[in-house]
Amino acid sequence: MNGFQNIPFNWLEKIINLAAERIVLVNRQGIILYINTAYCDFIGTTVDWAIGRHIEDVIENTRMHIVAETGRAELAAVQSINGSEMIANRFPLIIDGELVGALGTVMFSNPEEWQKYQRKIQSLVDELAYYKTRFEKELKSKYTFVDLIGSSTDFIAAKKLAERVAGSQSSVLLLGESGTGKELFAHAIHSGSPRASFPFVPINCASIPDHLLESELFGYEEGAFTGAKKGGKKGQFQNANLGTIFLDEIGDMPLSMQSKLLRVLQEKEVQPIGSQQSIPIDVRVIAATHRNLEKMVQEGKFRQDLYYRLNVIKIDIPPLHKRKADIPIISLHLLEKLAKKFYREELSLSPEVIQRLQSHMWPGNIRELENVLERAINVLDGKTIELFHLPLYLQDVAEDPKDTQFEGQTTIPLSPLKDTVAQAEMSAIRRALAVTKGNKQEAAKLLQISKTSFYDKCKLYNL
């Protein structure tokens, strides 16, 4: 039974008027069988007068009778009515395989209406294009193997291994202290892989609260939990589909999430929170950590099966203090980058500064070196960075005969108390960071100060 039989005629007419503002229906001969009030108001006539008349007698410049005869639709056609250009659609009406007439609708009654609609649509198109470009730009790798600077034996070995496995589909595990450039290696591996034209999605597992990590990685459905966005949210694994996902600080991932991650890697599919369906994915995983994962496995803090799944190709990135011969060339490379940031030209390092940088242990590695150089540029008047431009903890304390006291044969140089206190604090902070392998929260606990105070001092001393 036809469901429309249960709908009153006046309801159907109201539905038609709501669905299309202006509508007209003709038979094969071009006689108007139906026209709604909105159309009649538009052309300046009445329904009672129009019905039963030929379409050409009612609507100027019409082609409805031609469509009813030929059976060929005319979409988005421009038609002049009442001295204005309107845009109309004309559809042949075919019932049980037979052409019986034509249906016409007015999309825009005048150019202003069309232009208003076009402006609205164009703004949405422009906005979509902006976010698409931004999304693609942010999800592209930023570095290649050319950006990996150094000539020390261990570094060259790590770089060559990374270049060799870039074309593989296997998981990669990057090991190294904080600030050694693990993310740069991940970017370069993706850039050198067949997936280079697809997304590169970096995730810092340590920076995302445990209760948000699952939804961030795997997404969620609408209504999955209180506060879930309307329409749900795609997870980062879906965003990285066909590309690479970089899981930085994988050693900080809670055990509960490790098991879910393992399932994703094994099954090659994700299940958003609140969904009953799994979504297939094709993603290469690069993971990184400064922690000793083998020790964590022994202590039950990291899943052994996940460790084996990630540790297909292991690359050890040497710390800066083991590649001191590279410090001059790395410093110059960083200076070039910082010079663009600060709109400076031809910056250089004095021989004394190079020697001082090479004698430092660099517990913060390249990240610390970059911070030191940026600080120096901020206080630099000329073009050459000298010792006095460096942070206090990197400056040599000059001995002054007037500022010494003698205890037997021992000479103890004196300096202002505030400098002595600053150097002591910096030394303690650096040792704490070295012990905790860059973990600032743990370092603050070791020094028995609040996390806020620790961060403030790090900022003060440019650590």
Side-chain angles (χ1 to χ4, degrees):
M1 179 181 292
N2 192 326
F4 286 110
Q5 293 178 352
N6 299 322
I7 302 176
F9 176 79
N10 60 334
W11 284 30
L12 289 174
E13 187 173 27
K14 185 67 174 178
I15 291 169
I16 291 172
N17 289 333
L18 290 173
E21 289 187 4
R22 304 171 185 89
I23 187 169
V24 61
L25 178 67
V26 300
N27 61 15
R28 283 289 304 273
Q29 290 71 43
I31 304 299
I32 296 176
L33 302 180
Y34 175 82
I35 187 170
N36 67 351
T37 304
Y39 209 138
C40 288
D41 291 343
F42 172 53
I43 59 177
T45 187
T46 64
V47 173
D48 290 338
W49 184 87
I51 290 180
R53 296 179 182 273
H54 194 275
I55 190 75
E56 288 184 290
D57 297 332
V58 179
I59 301 175
E60 62 177 305
N61 299 313
T62 184
R63 290 179 53 84
M64 285 289 294
H65 56 297
I66 297 174
V67 174
E69 183 179 346
T70 63
R72 289 194 292 269
E74 297 179 357
L75 305 180
V78 177
Q79 179 179 338
S80 178
I81 289 186
N82 295 337
S84 181
E85 301 293 329
M86 73 166 194
I87 298 178
N89 285 329
R90 307 181 187 104
F91 305 93
L93 190 62
I94 300 174
I95 305 296
D96 296 330
E98 180 184 357
L99 178 64
V100 296
L103 173 71
T105 63
V106 175
M107 295 172 62
F108 304 103
S109 59
N110 54 63
E112 290 76 21
E113 195 175 298
W114 159 242
Q115 289 168 5
K116 181 179 178 182
Y117 178 80
Q118 187 181 39
R119 284 194 297 270
K120 183 177 180 180
I121 292 297
Q122 189 60 47
S123 66
L124 294 174
V125 170
D126 291 343
E127 185 176 359
L128 179 62
Y130 167 77
Y131 283 111
K132 181 182 178 182
T133 302
R134 179 180 171 186
F135 180 77
E136 290 176 347
K137 183 178 180 182
E138 290 179 351
L139 295 185
K140 292 292 184 183
S141 52
K142 302 174 184 176
Y143 307 101
T144 67
F145 286 109
V146 175
D147 298 298
L148 302 181
I149 306 298
S151 58
S152 65
T153 304
D154 290 345
F155 182 79
I156 290 296
K159 182 176 177 179
K160 284 185 176 179
L161 177 57
E163 288 177 315
R164 195 158 55 243
V165 303
S168 167
Q169 300 297 324
S170 300
S171 299
V172 177
L173 180 61
L174 302 172
L175 301 178
E177 296 177 7
S178 294
T180 50
K182 296 187 292 295
E183 185 166 348
L184 265 69
F185 265 79
H187 277 273
I189 292 171
H190 175 75
S191 293
S193 75
R195 298 173 179 266
S197 58
F198 295 100
F200 175 84
V201 180
I203 301 293
N204 189 314
C205 301
S207 66
I208 303 174
D210 293 355
H211 66 285
L212 296 178
L213 190 56
E214 182 177 2
S215 62
E216 182 69 19
L217 292 180
F218 309 138
Y220 57 79
E221 294 289 303
E222 181 177 341
F225 50 82
T226 303
K229 287 192 337 185
K230 186 177 181 180
K233 177 186 174 184
K234 288 175 66 175
Q236 297 290 21
F237 267 90
Q238 286 177 263
N239 289 334
N241 193 42
L242 301 179
T244 303
I245 191 165
F246 174 51
L247 300 176
D248 198 7
E249 301 299 350
I250 189 73
D252 292 273
M253 180 177 284
L255 278 168
S256 58
M257 272 301 301
Q258 291 177 26
S259 58
K260 294 175 182 178
L261 173 61
L262 179 64
R263 181 187 175 278
V264 169
L265 299 183
Q266 289 175 334
E267 305 298 329
K268 299 187 185 303
E269 59 184 23
V270 295
Q271 185 170 340
I273 298 174
S275 174
Q276 301 301 314
Q277 294 183 333
S278 295
I279 301 170
I281 55 166
D282 175 12
V283 175
R284 185 187 193 179
V285 176
I286 300 177
T289 184
H290 67 278
R291 298 184 181 278
N292 186 334
L293 290 187
E294 290 185 3
K295 184 179 179 183
M296 291 181 68
V297 168
Q298 294 172 0
E299 295 172 347
K301 297 178 180 178
F302 199 87
R303 290 184 63 106
Q304 186 178 49
D305 42 9
L306 178 59
Y307 173 67
Y308 290 139
R309 173 70 63 172
L310 296 173
N311 191 27
V312 177
I313 301 167
K314 182 173 70 173
I315 301 177
D316 288 289
I317 304 172
L320 194 54
H321 69 83
K322 288 188 177 180
R323 42 188 298 224
K324 291 191 174 183
D326 290 339
I327 289 178
I329 189 173
I330 293 173
S331 299
L332 292 176
H333 179 75
L334 293 174
L335 274 183
E336 288 180 9
K337 183 176 80 168
L338 292 168
K340 294 177 183 177
K341 177 180 177 181
F342 289 94
Y343 303 101
R344 306 288 291 269
E345 293 181 353
E346 300 178 0
L347 297 179
S348 62
L349 303 172
S350 71
E352 293 79 13
V353 167
I354 293 176
Q355 184 179 9
R356 186 68 187 91
L357 296 181
Q358 286 184 299
S359 66
H360 185 58
M361 289 301 291
W362 299 109
N365 292 289
I366 297 174
R367 187 180 295 122
E368 181 188 358
L369 175 59
E370 184 171 4
N371 288 340
V372 165
L373 294 175
E374 182 172 344
R375 188 262 185 198
I377 293 174
N378 273 290
V379 298
L380 180 65
D381 292 325
K383 294 185 177 182
T384 302
I385 296 175
E386 303 287 352
L387 282 176
F388 59 85
H389 293 125
L390 299 180
L392 287 174
Y393 72 90
L394 283 173
Q395 293 182 26
D396 286 326
V397 179
E399 290 189 20
D400 188 334
K402 295 182 295 183
D403 295 332
T404 60
Q405 71 179 32
F406 296 92
E407 297 180 9
Q409 300 298 316
T410 305
T411 302
I412 304 174
L414 296 178
S415 59
L417 181 60
K418 64 178 183 179
D419 289 350
T420 304
V421 172
Q423 290 183 44
E425 285 193 339
M426 285 187 284
S427 178
I429 290 172
R430 298 173 73 78
R431 286 201 301 271
L433 286 170
V435 170
T436 61
K437 297 188 181 299
N439 189 310
K440 292 184 177 181
Q441 291 185 353
E442 294 297 323
K445 289 179 183 178
L446 282 178
L447 296 174
Q448 298 182 15
I449 60 175
S450 70
K451 184 172 68 173
T452 302
S453 296
F454 185 86
Y455 276 85
D456 287 343
K457 290 183 184 294
C458 285
K459 185 175 180 180
L460 174 64
Y461 300 134
N462 198 30
L463 295 176

